[in-house]
Amino acid sequence: MQEATSGAALPGANVVLVETGQGTTTDVDGAFRLGPVSPGRYTLQVSFVGYQTRTQVVQVDTAPMRLTLTLAPALFEAEAVVVTGTRQTEKLLERR
């Protein structure tokens, strides 16, 4: 798993085969391994905080397969937060 703009590895990304619920996370190099999986067509879903979730249909055969996937950064806007405060007079205690 790589970051789309820089190509850097994304360790800790979540990878799930939707139909089976089988999942894992990527290692320090962005690699992952799922198995054993019966041959067939599956939906692979990859997510990582701060990045767009990616869904891809994959055809699994009996031979091991290798995928190279990238995730694009997610752009999101939060609503404005207004912070207000008041100041009250306080007496300071003398230390003895």
Side-chain angles (χ1 to χ4, degrees):
M1 191 62 45
Q2 297 176 339
E3 203 273 340
T5 55
S6 70
L10 290 175
N14 295 305
V15 182
V16 176
L17 282 179
V18 175
E19 292 80 2
T20 67
Q22 183 179 6
T24 189
T25 57
T26 57
D27 65 16
V28 70
D29 297 318
F32 66 92
R33 183 179 296 249
L34 287 170
V37 178
S38 299
R41 197 171 172 91
Y42 297 94
T43 305
L44 184 70
Q45 185 176 56
V46 183
S47 61
F48 191 71
V49 174
Y51 289 82
Q52 296 175 8
T53 297
R54 179 168 180 175
T55 303
Q56 182 170 328
V57 175
V58 294
Q59 180 65 42
V60 175
D61 297 317
T62 55
M65 62 188 297
R66 187 175 183 90
L67 294 172
T68 301
L69 301 171
T70 59
L71 293 182
L75 302 176
F76 56 92
E77 279 187 39
E79 292 184 28
V81 176
V82 178
V83 178
T84 58
T86 60
R87 184 173 177 177
Q88 297 177 348
T89 304
E90 296 179 20
K91 292 184 178 180
L92 298 176
L93 298 176
E94 290 183 16
R95 291 187 180 187
R96 295 180 189 208

